[in-house]
Amino acid sequence: MDALITLLPGDGIGPEVTKSGQSVLETIGEEFGHNFTFSRQHIGGSGIDHCNDPLPSDTVSSCNESNAVILGAVGGPKWDNPNAKIRPEQGLLGLRAALKVFANIRPVKIIPSLSKASPLKEHLLKNVDLLVIRELTGGIYFGEKQRNDSSASDLCIYHNYEVERIIRFAANLAKSRRNKLCSVDKANVLETSRLWRDVTTKIMASEFSSINIEHILVDAAAMYLISRPADFDVIVTENMFGDILTDEASMLSGSMGMLPSASLGDGRVGLYEPIHGSAPDIAGKGIANPCGMIGSVALLLRHSLDLQEEADLLEKAIYDAIENGARTADIATNNEKILSTEEMTQVITNCLVK
Ligand code: IPM
Ligand code: MN
């Protein structure tokens, strides 16, 4: 197959892990006879530095012409002036809106030998295999913002159709898994959450009556993710709750550096990024964990290119590399040899082509 992939390395460790993502895609291309071509563009701080725009128009056109988009990370202290009108994060939020990728899939799986790297007790991690579906283009992230000398506000707004489509998306995934869906909200306090819960109840009763639906308040969900994570299967929630809960859930897997994500919508183009940020403290050192990015490439193969076999093999290669003891600094526990980003990518590549 021929596919055009836009690469948006962005800031901090973004370029380092994006290089890993490109490299495994090239290996998959060689092994399976696919022809992947790449268009590299600016976003975030790198967009501000090069084009004075966190989301240059060339970036958006390239993404729209591609089969899929890979993004590293955006942000960093260089652009962190709280009074700045332009921020790197606007590039990422603008791109999610431009591509209309309203559904963000964040799978949390445990690779057994990594349970030592998690701060949780090992017995709690047994059988953890969950999927967080985060609504990605609505809510408080996109509502009107205001600021004056003495106050500030961020509007949280959800429309029925935004809730309906994300619930349908999540429920369809739940059907292919354990047939249960957990919707997370704050319906005891927020009007948007009461709307969320009403719409969810209606859609589930009329279209997905065979799926077991449970509603949990976000504060309790945060606790259960730590006290009984294996009970969850598919979790669906609004934009900001999903952001917060997935950073928390990443610690089940041992490190934030492990988690991939896919952002999909009705449109043609999917956006794939690890859930970690730009990690300015380790940027440029070549020690970032590439697994979140490589896992995101597997999701790209599966969801945007429909290459199921290749996606499964790549996920298995990450699994095998880790089970064989390969460790970057963030997941090392027992004096294991610590690999650089490039070395880890190479070990995963070796598992892929063996
Ligand atoms: C994420 C990130 C982004 C978000 C930031 C960088 C805007 O934290 O993808 O989880 O909050 O969505
Ligand atoms: Mn986040």
Side-chain angles (χ1 to χ4, degrees):
M1 104 157 4
D2 287 351
L4 173 62
I5 313 291
T6 294
L7 298 175
L8 306 176
D11 312 320
I13 59 169
E16 298 160 50
V17 296
T18 302
K19 200 171 156 210
S20 300
Q22 177 177 6
S23 148
V24 295
L25 259 180
E26 279 166 349
T27 304
I28 298 260
E30 284 157 22
E31 291 288 308
F32 288 84
H34 303 305
N35 182 24
F36 299 133
T37 41
F38 299 94
S39 158
R40 186 182 307 272
Q41 303 290 335
H42 294 294
I43 193 164
S46 103
I48 296 174
D49 288 353
H50 290 89
C51 320
N52 204 24
D53 186 348
L55 186 59
S57 57
D58 284 354
T59 297
V60 180
S61 337
S62 172
C63 292
N64 276 321
E65 284 156 18
S66 303
N67 299 88
V69 180
I70 289 177
L71 184 136
V74 297
K78 182 174 176 192
W79 308 278
D80 254 353
N81 174 1
N83 297 319
K85 285 261 164 340
I86 313 182
R87 295 186 52 88
E89 290 77 7
Q90 291 161 350
L92 177 53
L93 300 184
L95 183 65
R96 290 171 179 169
L99 298 178
K100 300 189 174 71
V101 285
F102 64 84
N104 180 224
I105 311 182
R106 298 187 163 186
V108 182
K109 280 188 200 144
I110 312 293
I111 301 182
S113 70
L114 272 195
S115 52
K116 277 191 212 64
S118 169
L120 266 75
K121 295 197 176 82
E122 268 186 81
H123 75 270
L124 292 171
L125 298 171
K126 236 185 240 140
N127 302 322
V128 168
D129 176 7
L130 61 93
L131 203 57
V132 180
I133 309 301
R134 169 185 174 192
E135 199 291 326
L136 200 62
T137 52
I140 200 165
Y141 272 61
F142 290 90
E144 193 190 333
K145 295 179 189 306
Q146 281 183 359
R147 176 81 183 263
N148 61 36
D149 287 345
S150 57
S151 68
S153 65
D154 297 277
L155 177 67
C156 182
I157 173 164
Y158 267 109
H159 298 94
N160 287 358
Y161 77 91
E162 293 174 299
V163 184
E164 286 164 4
R165 66 185 179 186
I166 192 75
I167 295 301
R168 287 193 178 106
F169 186 95
N172 278 316
L173 283 170
K175 254 191 199 165
S176 66
R177 293 172 54 105
R178 280 186 269 164
N179 247 323
K180 59 181 200 173
L181 181 62
C182 172
S183 171
V184 172
D185 62 37
K186 186 71 183 170
N188 55 345
V189 177
L190 301 178
E191 207 52 53
T192 41
S193 279
R194 286 192 272 274
L195 176 131
W196 180 282
R197 198 177 277 215
D198 287 348
V199 172
T200 301
T201 304
K202 255 186 227 139
I203 295 276
M204 294 308 293
S206 60
E207 299 175 28
F208 300 95
S209 56
S210 64
I211 295 180
N212 182 345
I213 172 82
E214 177 183 29
H215 303 270
I216 303 189
L217 298 174
V218 63
D219 45 354
M223 175 176 63
Y224 297 145
L225 270 175
I226 300 298
S227 61
R228 46 179 183 85
D231 287 355
F232 289 103
D233 190 44
V234 181
I235 297 174
V236 61
T237 191
E238 61 108 85
N239 203 343
M240 188 162 72
F241 296 161
D243 180 45
I244 298 168
L245 291 179
T246 48
D247 269 30
E248 184 192 14
S250 75
M251 293 319 292
L252 304 169
S253 75
S255 163
M256 177 124 188
M258 294 300 298
L259 286 209
S261 92
S263 303
L264 306 170
D266 295 333
R268 211 176 47 83
V269 188
L271 171 63
Y272 299 86
E273 49 177 317
I275 82 148
H276 63 67
S278 61
D281 51 327
I282 57 162
K285 296 188 177 162
I287 59 170
N289 185 347
C291 290
M293 170 56 86
I294 296 175
S296 303
V297 168
L299 295 176
L300 182 158
L301 293 165
R302 180 173 299 125
H303 294 287
S304 280
L305 306 183
D306 201 21
L307 298 174
Q308 309 302 335
E309 186 189 349
E310 290 83 337
D312 291 346
L313 271 177
L314 187 51
E315 279 169 355
K316 185 166 184 310
I318 300 171
Y319 186 98
D320 289 347
I322 302 264
E323 286 295 88
N324 291 338
R327 295 286 184 276
T328 42
D330 57 321
I331 50 174
T333 42
N334 295 330
N335 298 323
E336 291 120 332
K337 180 171 182 270
I338 293 179
L339 302 183
S340 68
T341 308
E342 274 181 17
E343 288 166 337
M344 186 72 170
T345 307
Q346 192 54 55
V347 176
I348 294 171
T349 305
N350 295 345
C351 291
L352 194 60
V353 299
K354 73 174 180 234

